[in-house]
Amino acid sequence: MVKQTISFLPPMQARQLTELAERARISLGRFASVDVSYDVNGLQLLDEWVDRHLRQFPSPSKDILTIWGAFLGEVFRRRFHGEWAIDQGKRQPRLGVICPKETRGLIFVDVMEQIQRRTHAGMAESLSWYYSMKAIEIKEVEI
């Protein structure tokens, strides 16, 4: 029997992440002086926000990392009909979004791991680029 390591978040926790994402969206709108949507353009603005924040605070708080991760996850959740989930298959539980692939199967998008990569490696781990690459994987498009 295979042990199931990924499970959906309870509705209240999922709602809290969606609310955090909305706070991030509003903050991004103020930051950029434009309306922000849950899409790749919003992620480009998030990349800029992350860079600006890291210049002032090289070690962001857990709260700000969670807000950034909530926005990234909400983009995937809305665009690809995903659900907030947690993967407990590794030593540390991983927060992400489970998205159905277009033809078959599911994919776990590890949003918090990508936020960690982004804060440590800079634009080499761009959130908008990550989204674009994962979108190809979800859609199972050959490049």
Side-chain angles (χ1 to χ4, degrees), residues 80-81 98-108 134-141:
F80 298 108
H81 312 289
I98 295 176
C99 297
K101 287 186 162 189
E102 266 192 22
T103 56
R104 61 180 159 58
L106 301 169
I107 185 169
F108 180 77
K134 280 294 181 187
I136 290 170
E137 191 176 345
I138 291 167
K139 292 179 179 182
E140 297 181 317
V141 174

Side-chain angles (χ1 to χ4, degrees), residues 70-81:
F71 186 82
L72 175 61
E74 195 64 13
V75 171
F76 279 99
R77 193 186 74 76
R78 288 173 185 236
R79 172 63 178 88
F80 298 108
H81 312 289

